[in-house]
Amino acid sequence: MGKDIKNICCIGAGYVGGPTMAVIALKNPQIQVNIVDINEQRITDWNDTDLDKLPIYEPGLKEVVEETRNKNLFFSTDVDTAIDNADMIFISVNTPTKTYGKGKGQAADLKYIELCARQIARVSKTDKIVVEKSTLPVRTAEALQGILSSTGNGVKFEILSNPEFLAEGTAIDDLLIPDRVLIGGNNTVSGKEAKNALSSIYEAWIPKERVLQTNVWSSELSKLTANAFLAQRISSINAMSVLCEETEADVDEIARAIGMDSRIGPKFLKSSVGFGGSCFQKDVLNLVYIAKSYGLDEVAEYWDQVIKLNDYQKRRFADKIIKESYNTVSGKKIAFFGWAFKKDTNDTRESAAIYVADHLLDEQADIIVYDPKVSEERIYADLEYLNTHSSEEIRNRVKVVSSHSEAVNNAHAIAILTEWDEFKAYNWKEIYSKVLKPANVFDGRNILDKEKLVNVGFNVYNIGK
Ligand SMILES: NC(=O)C1=CN([C@@H]2O[C@H](COP(=O)(O)OP(=O)(O)OC[C@H]3O[C@@H](n4cnc5c(N)ncnc54)[C@H](O)[C@@H]3O)[C@@H](O)[C@H]2O)C=CC1
Ligand SMILES: O=C(O)[C@H]1O[C@H](OP(=O)(O)OP(=O)(O)OC[C@H]2O[C@@H](n3ccc(=O)[nH]c3=O)[C@H](O)[C@@H]2O)[C@H](O)[C@@H](O)[C@@H]1O
């Protein structure tokens, strides 16, 4: 298997495949990078000459795409040709929680991964390095090897695990200056050669000492471990937020105090309405499932608590809105500032806003949503996907508007669901003049200047204060 990689194929043009490959192409102009996907619309959008129409919003992404697209970065639906031409194939397809059968609601659904493996096995005529970029259960490489090595056509595949640690909203910066890159593979001669080949692609812009090589199982399990630890930190600080609300302690002050302990560190201690995003819940649930499948019930229960606490935090926020609205929100207008699961992304997967809205809909609230980057249809689709309220009811009760000032007209309450910077800069005096009184703001992200808002006349409810 040659060290010199000239042609890369990435299967899956999503939040990971798109930005990751764009940066690899940018830093390795000698390599042709083909990103392929079965979703035709997505590929059309990636190829749109209007760079504001790219399917993913990430600060800095369009500049990288502009510099590389149609030079050494190509987007296409022709999966077979891209596989055939590639020396190295990244699999970056989705691995959602299973919604059916064994492991439903917990295990990762690996059907898309398996389809990719079968397609690679069927199409390949030359030896290839196959890279797991998707987040996968530990020992998936074994299954891939099983599929790829049973073609009988003499083609050799070396499987690597190279999990991605980027966070949405900062994907380009995370890719340009990663804390580390992790490459797992076999410790055979060809395995080491493959790891070095992948390492050299990253070494085009990342210091060699930050590219870590491990065995394939450690690499697969490190990714689940990293997400579980990160999610656990949020659930830990959110657990303290509940206690703060009972005791007049302030969760932000606690975060600062403990974060200065260098053993704990200051990051990922922001208490919130609950974590969202496509991965934390999915990956922790997957870890719970894996632990259970090895009969490790105590381990499974330990990690399951991270999810339970997060569900509790979302529910608690909705309950607080109801309680402070004289115990009923029926027919009342609740203005939502933000729908995305965090700022600087248009991604709404598992966003806390969806669950808070759903709970308020149970209580017949009217919800007016403003988010700077999320479309009306996305918001309806998120609520419809839950299958708890009819499409008709959702469209009657939930309105999506294109400015914050439209959202607040005659609102009974304002709820901050996403920490978009622009919310802090609004003219809160003007907002006060438009809402019904008493004027209640529920700051689910602790981003607003409480003193200023109280001086304007608002009642401000925080998390953990
Ligand atoms: N979203 C994120 O920030 C991160 C995600 N990950 C992991 O990366 C993986 C991908 O995640 P996303 O990019 O967010 O998913 P995504 O859903 O945005 O993209 C996956 C793409 O794969 C395509 N696809 C599925 N099966 C295919 C097939 N057989 N052939 C061609 N294309 C196919 C889908 O059409 C879709 O466009 C997941 O395992 C996720 O856990 C890891 C780190 C960060
Ligand atoms: O595997 C993945 O998909 C990725 O998951 C997360 O990235 P992401 O979900 O994009 O964004 P985060 O910044 O981690 O935020 C996740 C959620 O936690 C919330 N959060 C984050 C930090 C914090 O202190 N408090 C808090 O409530 C955010 O608002 C958001 O809803 C990890 O940070 C990435 O390293 C990982 O690659």
Side-chain angles (χ1 to χ4, degrees):
M1 210 152 302
K3 266 189 165 190
D4 202 13
I5 304 295
K6 293 194 176 65
N7 189 302
I8 286 176
C9 156
C10 173
I11 309 179
Y15 283 85
V16 168
T20 311
M21 292 303 129
V23 169
I24 286 183
L26 180 75
K27 298 294 183 181
N28 291 274
Q30 76 289 1
I31 299 179
Q32 176 167 336
V33 180
N34 298 301
I35 309 184
V36 289
D37 203 295
I38 40 175
N39 182 333
E40 285 181 17
Q41 186 58 51
R42 229 174 194 182
I43 292 299
T44 304
D45 292 344
W46 278 112
N47 281 321
D48 204 305
T49 45
D50 180 354
L51 287 159
D52 287 322
K53 297 219 174 103
L54 294 184
I56 289 165
Y57 171 72
E58 273 296 335
L61 174 64
K62 70 176 177 182
E63 288 79 3
V64 179
V65 171
E66 186 171 29
E67 210 168 319
T68 49
R69 196 174 57 186
N70 298 330
K71 289 183 191 132
N72 68 326
L73 177 70
F74 300 89
F75 295 91
S76 151
T77 52
D78 188 354
V79 184
D80 279 2
T81 305
I83 291 174
D84 191 21
N85 290 337
D87 310 307
M88 181 179 274
I89 301 167
F90 287 79
I91 304 182
S92 189
V93 300
N94 37 328
T95 50
T97 304
K98 264 186 97 175
T99 53
Y100 56 89
K102 191 161 177 255
K104 177 181 171 175
Q106 265 184 351
D109 191 343
L110 298 181
K111 70 177 169 203
Y112 307 105
I113 293 285
E114 184 173 337
L115 279 172
C116 288
R118 289 188 186 280
Q119 193 163 4
I120 294 168
R122 177 171 53 77
V123 171
S124 298
K125 297 195 274 293
T126 53
D127 295 353
K128 299 190 192 300
I129 298 172
V130 175
V131 184
E132 298 175 343
K133 187 49 116 176
S134 300
T135 302
L136 296 168
V138 56
R139 298 206 74 87
T140 302
E142 197 173 29
L144 288 184
Q145 191 70 64
I147 294 168
L148 292 171
S149 58
S150 52
T151 57
N153 61 2
V155 175
K156 287 201 192 68
F157 297 96
E158 198 60 50
I159 299 176
L160 300 178
S161 158
N162 172 222
E164 184 49 59
F165 296 100
L166 69 80
E168 289 178 31
T170 53
I172 298 299
D173 284 349
D174 293 343
L175 288 164
L176 289 174
I177 315 164
D179 287 347
R180 66 1 198 136
V181 166
L182 180 57
I183 300 174
N186 291 326
N187 283 326
T188 55
V189 173
S190 62
K192 284 180 185 162
E193 228 176 65
K195 284 195 265 193
N196 290 338
L198 179 54
S199 183
S200 68
I201 291 170
Y202 286 111
E203 283 168 39
W205 78 98
I206 296 164
K208 195 180 169 74
E209 59 276 14
R210 289 222 196 142
V211 185
L212 197 68
Q213 295 193 7
T214 64
N215 81 35
V216 68
W217 319 123
S218 306
S219 175
E220 288 178 334
L221 192 52
S222 290
K223 175 63 196 178
L224 290 184
T225 310
N227 275 358
F229 270 56
L230 290 169
Q232 180 211 42
R233 265 175 90 91
I234 303 170
S235 280
S236 296
I237 198 73
N238 282 343
M240 299 322 291
S241 77
V242 194
L243 204 49
C244 285
E245 288 168 29
E246 297 292 336
T247 57
E248 290 184 40
D250 177 326
V251 76
D252 286 337
E253 291 184 349
I254 290 182
R256 201 160 61 244
I258 65 166
M260 285 173 77
D261 185 326
S262 60
R263 293 167 303 173
I264 295 175
K267 294 184 183 167
F268 256 72
L269 287 177
K270 186 76 186 158
S271 188
S272 67
V273 55
F275 61 73
S278 62
C279 293
F280 279 174
Q281 174 164 308
K282 150 177 99 63
D283 293 346
V284 176
L285 287 173
N286 187 213
L287 195 57
V288 170
Y289 182 77
I290 293 168
K292 268 195 206 156
S293 70
Y294 286 104
L296 309 174
D297 290 346
E298 286 78 1
V299 179
E301 257 171 56
Y302 175 76
W303 289 111
D304 201 25
Q305 201 58 34
V306 170
I307 301 299
K308 285 189 179 143
L309 204 289
N310 197 49
D311 289 341
Y312 169 60
Q313 190 75 346
K314 293 182 271 189
R315 181 87 184 192
R316 230 166 55 75
F317 186 71
D319 285 341
K320 181 86 176 167
I321 296 175
I322 297 163
K323 180 169 168 257
E324 298 301 339
S325 306
Y326 307 108
N327 289 314
T328 175
V329 288
S330 177
K332 290 184 181 170
K333 268 173 83 171
I334 313 293
F336 269 38
F337 282 8
W339 190 265
F341 81 97
K342 63 184 281 195
K343 73 172 181 179
D344 293 339
T345 178
N346 61 347
D347 194 349
T348 65
R349 289 177 289 179
E350 292 298 330
S351 179
I354 303 169
Y355 297 93
V356 174
D358 185 56
H359 189 40
L360 293 176
L361 284 176
D362 290 343
E363 297 293 327
Q364 301 182 338
D366 290 331
I367 299 170
I368 322 293
V369 186
Y370 165 67
D371 186 288
K373 288 287 173 201
V374 181
S375 71
E376 180 174 17
E377 278 318 304
R378 180 71 262 151
I379 291 170
Y380 288 137
D382 287 340
L383 288 167
E384 281 163 3
Y385 185 75
L386 293 181
N387 225 349
T388 46
H389 297 274
S390 70
S391 180
E392 197 191 353
E393 187 189 354
I394 291 166
R395 279 161 202 267
N396 275 336
R397 290 215 174 274
V398 182
K399 295 280 171 266
V400 181
V401 293
S402 54
S403 72
H404 77 280
S405 51
E406 239 180 295
V408 297
N409 271 330
N410 294 324
H412 284 81
I414 298 171
I416 311 286
L417 276 308
T418 312
E419 73 282 23
W420 287 102
D421 289 332
E422 65 174 66
F423 300 161
K424 293 187 261 184
Y426 288 163
N427 181 343
W428 283 90
K429 261 191 191 152
E430 194 181 310
I431 294 176
Y432 183 76
S433 70
K434 291 184 168 178
V435 298
L436 297 181
K437 315 297 179 308
N440 289 343
V441 173
F442 297 88
D443 186 356
R445 297 290 185 162
N446 288 349
I447 54 164
L448 300 176
D449 183 340
K450 183 170 182 170
E451 207 181 307
K452 194 171 103 188
L453 263 70
V454 168
N455 284 337
V456 168
F458 284 103
N459 301 318
V460 180
Y461 300 93
N462 288 97
I463 303 280
K465 288 176 195 258

